[in-house]
Structures are given as structure tokens and as C-alpha cells.
Amino acid sequence: MHSQDHDRIFLSPPHLGRHELNYVHKAIEDNWVAPAGPNLTGFEQDICHYTGAAHCVALSSGTAAIHLGLILLGVGPGDEVLCPSFTFVATANPILYLGATPVFVDSEATTWNMCPDRLREAIEHRIQLGKKPKALILVHLYGMPAQLDQLQAIAELYDIPVLEDAAEALGSRYDGRRLGTFGAVGVFSFNGNKIITTSGGGALVTAKTEWAEQTRFLATQAKDPAPYYQHSAVGYNYRLSNILAGIGRGQMELIDSRVKSRREVFAWYQANLKHISVLQFGPTEPALGFSNRWLTTITLDVAHTSVTPEQVRQHLETHNIESRPLWKPLHQQPLFAQAAMYGGAVCTDLFTRGLCLPSGSSLTETDLRRVSDALQEILRP
Ligand SMILES: *Cc1c(COP(=O)(O)O)cnc(C)c1O
């Protein structure tokens, strides 16, 4: 059969259930068409309940949540913020919004997340240069928990507060506890391609009541408690809409089943492609980690194949299958050409050899078979 006869298989499409529309319908019926209302508070409660976070503030995006989170940690002009190089640009852009400077740190081979050794090196070197980093952003890339025990111990040793970018990791755990609740501030994203979605949206979680209040204040234009519109701080328009929070409420009912499906997709690929020796599955869960397997990622053993990830991507495309390169390291981005980088060989190598496969929770066995057949065509000719 020719490729065009098949429907497109997307990388990570939205997967809606039966209740989202009810919440949205109710919001419109009750005229809660605003960035306030019962869906918004309900969605925040759902997230607290699920993650164990004490406080949650739903925001217009994960990027907005990182921006406000860095403000809570006191980041301002001239400060330095530690950040993994191997991540999506949205992790680091808010550092620039604040006039601060990112200091990038390489990955480790197991989890693909920040390497504890490189982190220690980076902190000690910055201190030697007379500039102690103001904050540390940890990312759980593709849903995979970072080495939290080691990374947090280092952050505590040097007394550097942690912002946890769990944008891709809702539902993942470390030592039995949900990701997003380890840092002083945690961030989730509900963008269209994440494990659950509100089409666009995000959330900030924290254990500190004052910080949750401060986040709500900053996200709604920083209006002073006065009868008129008085402002003494810079504010933002970052609150999530009550309509979109309705989609979020419906999605939160399904989060466990979405995590289960994503992990089944990963397990299926692993079981059905294990005989292709040049194809390897990574990253790997750390000792205490449980990944939501948001995206299934592979690397090619370049010593034993001349096929490149880009050729694989193009081949899948001819079968109307979407795949995508791993995140291009931020220290290699023109935007961050001037930034400091500690290490770099690990994430650069991953970027050169890796690819993200279709990983949606709505994939059928037939879809998965199509992807694996196409992979075998090019990798086992
Ligand atoms: C998606 C994502 C973000 C940003 O979230 P948005 O809701 O799209 O703004 C931040 N960090 C990582 C690692 C992401 O994948």
C-alpha cells in the first residue's frame, strides 16, 4: 500500500476524553468566561491533589510559570542561573526576560538530565569567578526524572534554590513522590503536545503560601490592595482562562491512564524493535525514578550504521509518520552563543544520534506496527 493511503501519525497529539466538554459547557452556561472561576480553582485543586503540592496557580503557559518562578527565587538583572543545555528553549528564555544570564550544564548518559559532577564544577567555578549562581533550574526531559538525590544535595550544600521544570513530567515520580514537588518552585505545561493539555496553559506549584499569593498577584497585573487601580510592582497578564481550565479538569481525570498508555507505547517499541541492534532506547530511569515516558526516544549506534537520525526522520515522513530530532542543546543555539557551558560532549552526542518517535497515548497497535515496519525498512534493509 502506498504511504498517502495512510492517515498521518503525529508525534504527540492531544488526547481528549468525554468530560472536558462538560466543564467547558458549564463555564459558558454560567458565564464564567474569564481568567477566574470554578474550573480554575477546581483545576488547581486537582493538580494539588494529584501531585501532593500544597499550592498551585494555573497560568497561561509553562513559560509564564518559569518566568514567575524565577522572580520568586529573586532572580534579577545581572544574576546567573544554572540550567541544563539539553532542554527546550522555553526553560531558558525566562532567564533572559529578567536580564539574567544562563550558565549551561551538560547532561549525564543515564537520565540525559543534568550531570551532578558538571553541576558541582560549574558552581565552584562561578564562585571562583566571584559570582555565585542565584538559582538552579532542573529539567526532567521527556518525562525522565533527573538524579534528584545528588542534584538536590549539591544545591543544598551551596544554598542555591531550585526551580523544577517538570513541563514534560506530570505523572513521573522520584522515590515515590511526584516530580514538580521537589524544587522550591515546580512548573508544569499543558501545551497541546504534552501528556495532558488545555491547548495552552501551565501551572506553578509551591509549598509556600506567600509564594502562591505572590504568583497570583504578579499574574494579574500586580494590583495593589486599593479601591482604584494602583500598582507598585511590574505585573503580568499570565492567568489561565476558566474555559481552558475546564479542559484541564477533564484531562486530570485521565492522567493516570495517559501515563499508563505512554509507558505502554515505550514498552511496545522496546519489545518489538529489540532485534535492531543499531537502535537503542534511552534515557534510562534512575534507581528511584519512574518516568511518564512522555516521548519515546531512540539513539542510533553510529559506529555500526551509516544511517543518520535525519534520514530516519525523512523515511518516516514518506510513510506519513511524524518524528522529530531531540532538543538541540541550548549552548549550540545562536541565541546563547555567548553563554558559559560546563561540559557539552554528552548532550551534543545525544543530539547527533537521537530521534523522538510517535508517542501519543491514542496510538493503536496498528499505528505502532506501521512505525516499527518503517523503522525496520531503513535500519534493517
Ligand atoms: C513545553 C515546555 C516548556 C514550556 O511550556 P509552555 O506551556 O509551552 O510554555 C518548558 N520547558 C520544557 C522542558 C517544555 O517541554
Side-chain angles (χ1 to χ4, degrees):
M1 200 196 286
H2 202 256
S3 63
Q4 274 74 12
D5 298 337
H6 286 303
D7 287 341
R8 184 161 177 78
I9 296 179
F10 291 99
L11 187 84
S12 181
H15 185 187
L16 279 286
R18 283 180 292 116
H19 293 162
E20 288 84 347
L21 204 51
N22 300 343
Y23 288 108
V24 170
H25 195 259
K26 183 93 170 78
I28 292 173
E29 215 166 56
D30 297 346
N31 209 29
W32 277 112
V33 186
N39 282 340
L40 198 55
T41 45
F43 185 43
E44 290 174 344
Q45 281 163 8
D46 292 345
I47 293 165
C48 284
H49 185 251
Y50 182 72
T51 61
H55 303 283
C56 172
V57 184
L59 299 167
S60 53
S61 70
T63 311
I66 295 170
H67 186 188
L68 296 185
L70 290 176
I71 294 175
L72 295 177
L73 299 187
V75 173
D79 287 334
E80 290 190 347
V81 177
L82 297 153
C83 177
S85 175
F86 196 43
T87 184
F88 180 44
V89 72
T91 304
N93 269 335
I95 301 171
L96 302 184
Y97 300 170
L98 292 166
T101 308
V103 170
F104 292 118
V105 180
D106 200 1
S107 301
E108 49 133 20
T110 314
T111 65
W112 295 8
N113 288 312
M114 190 182 279
C115 173
D117 295 335
R118 296 292 89 70
L119 172 64
R120 194 188 292 268
E121 233 171 76
I123 295 173
E124 290 192 345
H125 189 238
R126 296 329 279 180
I127 290 174
Q128 253 174 40
L129 295 176
K131 192 130 202 162
K132 187 177 140 182
K134 188 82 179 186
L136 162 62
I137 304 181
L138 294 181
V139 182
H140 309 290
L141 213 61
Y142 304 118
M144 180 58 64
Q147 304 274 10
L148 278 167
D149 273 352
Q150 294 177 56
L151 294 165
Q152 283 209 301
I154 296 167
E156 268 164 42
L157 183 68
Y158 294 95
D159 196 24
I160 299 173
V162 172
L163 183 148
E164 220 187 324
D165 178 351
E168 302 177 358
L170 183 68
S172 300
R173 298 192 298 264
Y174 187 84
D175 201 8
R177 193 164 134 199
R178 299 277 183 210
L179 299 190
T181 62
F182 286 83
V185 170
V187 166
F188 297 112
S189 167
F190 311 111
N191 197 25
N193 59 358
K194 297 299 198 306
I195 192 156
I196 64 158
T197 183
T198 57
S199 74
L204 183 150
V205 294
T206 179
K208 289 195 183 170
T209 313
E210 321 86 79
W211 281 10
E213 281 164 7
Q214 183 71 1
T215 303
R216 286 201 174 82
F217 171 73
L218 293 174
T220 51
Q221 308 288 18
K223 186 178 176 292
D224 288 340
Y228 32 77
Y229 282 81
Q230 175 177 296
H231 306 272
S232 4
V234 179
Y236 305 88
N237 182 5
Y238 275 173
R239 209 63 168 112
L240 184 69
S241 155
N242 188 62
I243 303 283
L244 300 187
I247 302 176
R249 292 210 76 184
Q251 289 272 281
M252 277 308 284
E253 293 179 8
L254 301 162
I255 178 69
D256 280 330
S257 109
R258 297 301 183 250
V259 171
K260 187 164 172 280
S261 302
R262 296 260 176 178
R263 286 179 60 90
E264 280 167 5
V265 165
F266 173 79
W268 192 96
Y269 280 128
Q270 209 178 28
N272 286 272
L273 294 168
K274 60 173 185 282
H275 54 284
I276 309 181
S277 60
V278 297
L279 187 157
Q280 294 156 348
F281 288 91
T284 309
E285 284 167 337
L288 300 170
F290 172 91
S291 172
N292 67 7
R293 293 288 177 187
W294 170 55
L295 294 186
T296 290
T297 48
I298 56 164
T299 51
L300 299 182
D301 178 4
V302 288
H304 297 99
T305 180
S306 57
V307 179
T308 65
E310 178 53 17
Q311 286 170 332
V312 175
R313 193 189 68 78
Q314 285 175 15
H315 180 75
L316 292 174
E317 200 53 55
T318 66
H319 287 271
N320 209 9
I321 296 167
E322 183 187 23
S323 63
R324 132 177 134 182
L326 301 185
W327 301 121
K328 180 178 175 178
L330 296 185
H331 77 281
Q332 297 182 323
Q333 302 282 355
L335 177 62
F336 296 112
Q338 307 305 318
M341 173 70 188
Y342 290 84
V346 176
C347 65
T348 302
D349 172 63
L350 289 171
F351 173 62
T352 322
R353 298 192 295 117
L355 194 71
C356 306
L357 299 182
S359 308
S361 45
S362 49
L363 285 169
T364 63
E365 170 113 24
T366 314
D367 294 334
L368 290 169
R369 185 65 62 194
R370 250 176 77 196
V371 179
S372 85
D373 287 351
L375 286 170
Q376 302 197 52
E377 263 173 32
I378 183 160
L379 292 170
R380 277 185 92 203

